[in-house]
Structures are given as C-alpha cells and as structure tokens.
Amino acid sequence: MYESEFEQSVFDLRREKLRQIEALGHPAYPNSFAPENLKVLTLAAIRGEYDAFTGEALEKDRVNVAAAGRIMAIRAQGKAGFAVLQQNGERLQIYARMDAVGENAFQLYKLLDMGDHIGVSGYLFRTRTGELTIHVDTLTFLSKAMLPLPEKYHGLADVELRYRQRYVDLFMNADVREVFVKRAAILRAMRKFFDARGFLEVETPMMQPIAGGAAAKPFTTHHNALDIDLYLRIAPELYLKRLVVGGMDRVYEINRNFRNEGISTQHNPEFTMLEFYQAYANYKDLMDLTEELIQFVAMEVNGTTKTTFNDVEIDLSQWQRFTMREAIIKFWPTEAEPRPMLTDFESVESLLGWIDRTLEGNLEVRAGFVPKILGEPLIHLKSSSSYSPLYVALNFARNSLELEQAPLGKAIAEVFEAVAEPQLIQPTIIYDFPLAVSPLSKQKPDEPDWVERFEFYIGGFELGNAFSELNDPVEQRNRFLQQLGERERGDAEAHAMDEDYVRALSFGLPPTGGEGIGIDRLTMVLTGSRSIRDVILFPLMRPQAKQSDADAISE
RNA sequence: GAGCGCGUAGCUCAGGUGGUAGAGCAACGCACUUUUAAUGCGUGGGUCCUGGGUUCGAGUCCCAGCGCGCUCACCA
C-alpha cells in the first residue's frame, strides 16, 4: 500500500493498536463524540472563556468541560501523561492520570499517537507552570492517524510537499491556516461592500461557446450530448454586461477564471476574480470606488490599511494616480536619459525619434543597462534574460513600429510595462490606455486614440483593470473585426467575434463602468504572501507519477 | 518556453579534495503521576530522485531525464 517500508510498518503497527483499542471496548471509528450531560465546546470557546481565570478560581469553582481535537504533542509520564489537542487552529493541553480516568481509559491513553483525534471531558485547572489544562475524567477515542506526522519542531517545510499535501500543511503550520482564514474574510468584506451599495451577486457561465472578455488563451472542453466544444471562461465580462442591458444595473460576480498560460509566483491557471458593473458610472467613479473598496477590505481583514509585502511597508490609504504617459515620464530612470516628453507619444515618428535618441545616448555608456545589440532580431531579444527589460522593450517597440507590426498604442503600452510596473509598489492607479490594447473600452471624447481605462497596481503588479464600457454596437463590431485581423496574423489571444454580445449592445447598454480585481493577488498583498500558491489551497502541480507508473511509462 | 538552484530515513537537516551513509524529531521497547522541543537507557529504519557514463571504487565527478523553487518570457 505504501512505497516506503517505514510507512508500511507504521501503518501495520497502528492497525494493531486499533485492534487493541477495540479489544478494550472502544470503537475504532465511532460516529460521533457526544458525552452525556455535557455540551462539547470548541477549544477556542474554552480558551476565550477561561484563559483569564486563575488557578485558584478554577479550583474554587470547578468548571467541567468536554472538547475534542487532534493530538499534536503527547508526553507520557509513567501512570499519567500530558497531550496537546488542536482543533480549528486552537490548542489546549490535557492531563490524564490513571487514578482519575481509570485502568481501561489509561490503557487506551497509552495506545494513542500523535495525530490521533480524541474527545475528553474533565475539569479545568492550571499546572505548576500556569498552563490552562483539562484534567481528564473520561477519554473517548475518535480516529487514528495511521501515518506519522512531520517533525514537530520544524513542521512541514518542503514547499512541494506543502502544496501537494495541503491537508498536512494546514494542521502542521498555523500561519498557513491564517492566510486562508483571511482569504475568506476578504471575500466576506467584498460582498459586504457591494451588497451595501445595491449590487446583486450573480453567477454567469464558466463554460462558454466563445471565450471572451479578455486577451488570453482558453482551456477547451467538450459536451458529449450536444457534441460541441466549449471553453472554460477567461472572464465573465461579456455576460455581466448583458445583464446590465437586461436592467440589472449593479451586478458583481466572484468566481474562477481559467487561462491556459504560464505558471509563476503571480499566475495560477485557475484564479479568482471579482468583476462588477455599475450603470451610469464611468471610470473616474470606479477609481474612487476602488480606493474605498481596498481600504475597506484591509480594515475589515487586518484592522489597518498598512501591510508589509516583500519587506516593504505599503499604505493602502495613500493612492497615486498617473496617466500611462505621465507614468512613463515619471518613472523613467535618470541614468537612461533622455526622458521622454508628452509630445513624444503623439505619433509613430515622434516616438521612434525619442527611442532612437535614447538608445544612441546609452549605447556602450552603461553596460548594465544597454548592451550593444541593436542589430539583433527581436525574437531573440524577447526571450533573452541577459538584457535589461527596458532595453528589450524599447527595441521591441521600435522594431514593431518600423515593421508596422504593432500600432503606436501597443508600443507605448509595451514601454510602460517595462518602465513603470515594477516601481508601482504603493497603491497606484494608471489611467488612459491606448485604444489599440483595449477592444472593449470607450474612447476618450477628446483623444480618440485613447480610452477611458485604468489599472491599479500594488506591490509591483497589477491587481485590477477597469474601464468605461464601450456601448456603441457599431464601434464594438468594428473592434471585434480588428481583433479578428490580429487573430489571423497569429495572435492567439486576440478577441473572437461575439455576435450575440453585439446584439445585446444593440438593445442599449447604459453608460456603464466595469472592473475586475484579482482576489488571489489582493490576498497576497493583504497577507504578505510572495507566491500566489501560498494563497491558493490547492495550486496546480504537475502530477507526480509513482515509481511503478514511471517504470511502466518508460517501457 | 529559457537560465540558475535544489532533490540523502516518515519529517528537519549534516555528509572538504571520490573509499561502501549520519544526527535530531518521529517509530518500537523499558523506566518515570504537573510535563510542555519532557527526561534517561536501549532497538530498528535508506533503490542517497531516475537512467546511463567515467573510475578498482560514485551520495560525491560527467551526461540525459523527472519533480520542485527562483528569475525571465506570456499574462491578471
């Protein structure tokens, strides 16, 4: 049954112990723990109630309690013994002595192992060292740990084992449990926030015939009875806006999206997103709402707007706002002058002019920043890690502009991501995005090449994306057609045509603001977790073949 | 997808320059009726990730593969 001899022998020994426990008259797997005349309390409730009581007070008026938990430490001492029970993240010590529990129960006690579940009843007292402890009268066996627990001092430290065997990680490492308690609190706070503002929580399809609403590669699945391929959704966006057309003026959805792309400390193939839509609002309204929301959630969850991420203190009550073009100028590194000016972003020619001045000015001067590789094809640049991201981005922008592979807006967005994004540690809203990278957003009235869209950043990565929704069906159809063009040119992430969505818009979508917020990433920020896998209970791992399977495969 | 690092007992980790594998916890046995990383005495436990190669000899060196982590790319 087990690959290791050690685990198999422990398992066999524990089965023998279970047999002995049954021989003493205790069921090996009882159906419940329900002592007579005594309500079973949680360990948290007992601690909450009696942690403040002195030993004298507990001696004067005896408090009888019943509780259950997993044995996390056990210290036998002749005809008595201590054990520490753990339940729901709370711990409490128990003390069992033969003259109190009787011969039979003490025999049972001696058959207990770390990891077993037991129930006890008895009275509370304080030991010589002052620790609150249950003096056990009756001992009930509940369930056996058939495998040995990890080391009791260091716990389970191997990162891979922690993700693969989260069930062990959770009861061994208290802080892991805390992260997921907070994650639940974050979801609760978000629902509270939106419910209080008249938003309706809805659920839209996760299996979609057209995977729309974002630029990403979808997972494909198949429905047998209908014999059709379906996609796991990459975003709920287009369905939620259909609901706004239908008169649900304020809706939100919190659930999973699936994107068939790379895995990193910031990306899991399935991730949780909050998306919400508010009729008669625009992106400026959502900026205010976003700042309010993040602060509210932080206060509800942590009781403070301060949080520490990557050893940097972040204040979620202090927000900055820049346009994308302003951000490039502001965050342009001084060692890489000339810094661009707003006019440089006006046309392909002006941008190319600035890029050339910048690359020439830096050539050979600052080796760490700009290596001498101007002539190289960009395919090598993109996948190489030996050049500065800034340099790679500038070259990519320049080459794609010269070869007319990308519009001006796409090049500017490229430069922005390389220059500014890593520096956006404190809460920052970046607004006014290029039309070219925003197929679903509404144009700015005075600058038709730019749209009313913003993203917000905390800790150096993007947490949310919002815009004034494009509600002109004719324009939307044109944008889809443009995306189809990019699809034909090989962009697998370009948007597909969604005729029914255009039809929905044709019935009239009111001016609407919509936003998506990555819950996993927000949880990272609020819990100080560096990896997204630390805030997802079961992150996707490559399945591990057993040795016997591996042999079979290789044959 | 690329680069770097890691993989030794159930767990946490040691194992200069190649010489047949070790500690603590856990497990098993004994002692111990207020301990708390309990203590004392004793015992067992390993395909050193997998497969090749070099060598008289490989945990150690070389090659390939697998898994994980980090960085980068894609992306949220």
Side-chain angles (χ1 to χ4, degrees), chain A residues 385-427:
Chain A
S385 59
S386 56
Y387 306 122
S388 92
L390 213 54
Y391 183 75
V392 172
L394 282 188
N395 268 281
F396 183 76
R398 195 186 68 153
N399 291 359
S400 44
L401 285 177
E402 280 183 345
L403 301 172
E404 293 180 0
Q405 283 177 346
L408 175 64
K410 206 161 185 168
I412 295 174
E414 189 81 30
V415 173
F416 161 76
E417 277 171 29
V419 174
E421 181 164 352
Q423 300 186 58
L424 304 179
I425 307 297
Q426 297 299 326

Side-chain angles (χ1 to χ4, degrees), chain A residues 271-290:
Chain A
F271 65 102
T272 300
M273 193 146 92
L274 160 75
E275 265 199 34
F276 65 93
Y277 290 81
Q278 179 175 343
Y280 315 114
N282 66 19
Y283 77 142
K284 293 278 185 192
D285 301 314
L286 294 194
M287 290 184 203
D288 298 339
L289 194 71
T290 299

Side-chain angles (χ1 to χ4, degrees), chain A residues 297-540:
Chain A
V297 172
M299 287 304 292
E300 289 279 304
V301 173
N302 288 334
T304 169
T305 57
K306 301 251 171 65
T307 184
T308 302
F309 188 74
N310 273 337
D311 300 324
V312 179
E313 186 176 89
I314 292 172
D315 188 348
L316 299 170
S317 68
Q318 301 294 317
W319 289 71
Q320 304 172 284
R321 295 184 186 182
F322 304 106
T323 67
M324 179 180 280
R325 286 163 286 181
E326 285 168 359
I328 295 173
I329 296 168
K330 178 175 171 62
F331 293 103
W332 189 258
T334 45
E335 60 269 26
E337 302 287 353
R339 190 177 296 265
M341 295 180 295
L342 271 181
T343 49
D344 291 326
F345 299 121
E346 278 172 4
S347 67
V348 171
E349 292 70 31
S350 61
L351 190 67
L352 276 175
W354 167 69
I355 291 176
D356 283 340
R357 286 198 303 282
T358 306
L359 290 178
E360 280 165 25
N362 285 282
L363 198 59
E364 285 187 283
V365 178
R366 295 159 189 98
F369 171 64
V370 178
K372 192 163 72 173
I373 48 160
L374 273 174
E376 301 227 348
L378 51 117
I379 193 84
H380 295 302
L381 289 173
K382 261 296 203 184
S383 59
S384 166
S385 59
S386 56
Y387 306 122
S388 92
L390 213 54
Y391 183 75
V392 172
L394 282 188
N395 268 281
F396 183 76
R398 195 186 68 153
N399 291 359
S400 44
L401 285 177
E402 280 183 345
L403 301 172
E404 293 180 0
Q405 283 177 346
L408 175 64
K410 206 161 185 168
I412 295 174
E414 189 81 30
V415 173
F416 161 76
E417 277 171 29
V419 174
E421 181 164 352
Q423 300 186 58
L424 304 179
I425 307 297
Q426 297 299 326
T428 308
I429 286 172
I430 300 293
Y431 63 100
D432 289 358
F433 274 58
L435 170 69
V437 295
S438 313
L440 300 164
S441 318
K442 201 173 205 166
Q443 283 148 295
K444 286 170 67 75
D446 52 341
E447 283 188 299
D449 286 337
W450 296 82
V451 297
E452 294 193 352
R453 173 179 172 191
F454 72 88
E455 292 184 343
F456 71 96
Y457 295 80
I458 304 173
F461 54 76
E462 181 193 341
L463 262 83
N465 179 18
F467 37 89
S468 304
E469 304 297 337
L470 174 62
N471 58 350
D472 174 348
V474 176
E475 171 69 12
Q476 183 65 71
R477 175 185 292 280
N478 287 336
R479 302 264 190 103
F480 277 149
L481 288 173
Q482 273 168 17
Q483 290 286 310
L484 285 183
E486 296 195 19
R487 220 181 168 79
E488 274 163 25
R489 281 198 293 277
D491 184 353
E493 291 174 2
H495 222 286
M497 171 63 75
D498 190 335
E499 290 286 359
D500 182 71
Y501 176 66
V502 175
R503 179 177 172 82
L505 290 186
S506 302
F507 280 99
L509 173 71
T512 298
E515 179 165 346
I517 297 177
I519 299 297
D520 312 277
R521 290 184 177 180
L522 180 62
T523 307
M524 288 168 68
V525 168
L526 289 175
T527 59
S529 305
R530 287 161 189 261
S531 170
I532 199 168
R533 288 177 217 110
D534 291 325
V535 302
I536 291 173
L537 281 167
F538 298 100
L540 184 67

